[in-house]
Amino acid sequence: LKRSRGNGTITSLTYEINTADEVNAELKKECRDAVIVALHACGDLTPTAMQLFAKTDASALVLLGCCYHRITADCFPMGPTLCERSSVIQPMLDGELGCHALEEWSEREPWRLRSHGYRALLEEILEERGVEKSIQLGRLKIRYKPTDLFEDYARRVLSRLPDLKTSPSDEDFISRSERSQRVVPSSACVYALRLLIAAVIESVIVLDRLEFLQERVGRENSSVKAIFDPVCSPRNLGLFATKPGGAPT
């Protein structure tokens, strides 16, 4: 929430929100026009903020959502069109896919796609060795070179995992190095398809949220806009809404 004072300055209001009534009680103390703002609101936080906007006296809303894979069934779908088809759309929608962004790869070298094939092969080895699947290799941010082979990549990753009880053998590396010539091109194609699908998934989620807002404040008072370069941050779609008679968008 933002609190506007009589002298035109704006200060932040930190407040634990449990119910819409609590928010309204706080707004009535000294706020004339309150704007609910959330930048990269993770998972269910974006739908929660939208519901608060609909139920409280807040006059405007500015939201940028993220982490679609953290959205629960209680918060998607929200708009009437998909709510009527929720039993069909929910099993089909993969929020994790929507977190990817084609724009992120617009300035990257194509050879970097090899890491997906290399990682798949290394995960196969670790699974055979009984290593817990909770280890997320993709988050290690391993640096590698265009000339690196699978073994080079794997050894760099393993150097970041010193607590492994059972390490892969040289035979593991040799056998996967031969397979990598087939696996790497295939995995790159699969990842490219994931990037193409990502925009579709994100569009479904964002348009569903927009429809929810349109139902509450009208089409003329709600919109979705790309507000900055997706290369800088792929979650660049902002949801904007104002209540009739409230602050302008």
Side-chain angles (χ1 to χ4, degrees):
L1 298 175
K2 292 291 184 179
R3 175 179 291 160
S4 177
R5 300 187 183 278
N7 60 4
T9 61
I10 297 177
T11 58
S12 296
L13 170 64
T14 301
Y15 189 75
E16 183 177 349
I17 297 173
N18 293 307
T19 67
D21 290 340
E22 290 181 0
V23 176
N24 278 332
E26 185 66 24
L27 295 181
K28 289 177 181 178
K29 289 180 181 179
E30 54 183 303
C31 292
R32 292 197 307 270
D33 288 314
V35 181
I36 296 178
V37 180
L39 177 63
H40 287 230
C42 182
D44 287 351
L45 184 56
T46 293
T48 299
M50 292 168 57
Q51 290 163 351
L52 278 173
F53 170 70
K55 295 177 181 178
T56 65
D57 296 333
S59 60
L61 177 76
V62 180
L63 292 177
L64 284 93
C66 71
C67 300
Y68 300 132
H69 60 295
R70 297 183 183 276
I71 301 173
T72 64
D74 293 334
C75 291
F76 180 85
M78 299 182 71
T81 299
L82 293 187
C83 280
E84 294 175 358
R85 302 165 176 82
S86 60
S87 61
V88 177
I89 195 69
Q90 281 183 341
M92 294 173 57
L93 193 73
D94 187 339
E96 196 276 332
L97 270 180
C99 295
H100 295 278
L102 184 63
E103 292 84 1
E104 287 185 308
W105 287 89
S106 63
E107 297 179 1
R108 296 186 189 181
E109 301 88 341
W111 60 265
R112 294 188 180 276
L113 283 170
R114 292 181 203 161
S115 65
H116 299 282
Y118 288 166
R119 188 167 72 225
L121 289 168
L122 182 55
E123 287 175 346
E124 183 181 77
I125 293 174
L126 295 178
E127 184 176 350
E128 290 178 358
R129 293 286 175 175
V131 176
E132 295 182 5
K133 292 184 178 181
S134 59
I135 297 178
Q136 297 182 337
L137 302 182
R139 295 191 174 185
L140 295 178
K141 305 297 182 183
I142 302 300
R143 294 183 179 276
Y144 62 102
K145 298 175 291 186
T147 55
D148 281 353
L149 302 177
F150 166 71
E151 183 176 347
D152 302 317
Y153 171 86
R155 292 192 185 281
R156 284 198 179 92
V157 172
L158 294 174
S159 69
R160 301 277 297 276
L161 301 172
D163 298 329
L164 286 182
K165 295 180 181 180
T166 305
S167 297
S169 64
D170 290 339
E171 289 75 13
D172 290 326
F173 292 141
I174 293 172
S175 64
R176 265 57 177 209
S177 292
E178 294 173 353
R179 285 183 57 204
S180 68
Q181 297 180 16
R182 301 189 306 273
V183 172
V184 168
S186 298
S187 64
C189 290
V190 170
Y191 190 73
L193 287 173
R194 289 171 64 88
L195 290 174
L196 293 173
I197 295 171
V200 177
I201 301 295
E202 182 174 35
S203 296
V204 170
I205 294 172
V206 173
L207 290 176
D208 173 68
R209 293 171 173 177
L210 177 62
E211 188 180 43
F212 173 88
L213 293 172
Q214 291 175 339
E215 285 283 301
R216 271 86 186 156
V217 300
R219 291 178 176 271
E220 67 279 6
N221 295 315
S222 52
S223 62
V224 57
K225 300 175 183 177
I227 59 175
F228 49 79
D229 187 350
V231 175
C232 298
S233 178
R235 304 285 77 81
N236 71 326
L237 297 177
L239 284 165
F240 301 85
T242 58
K243 291 176 181 172
T249 52

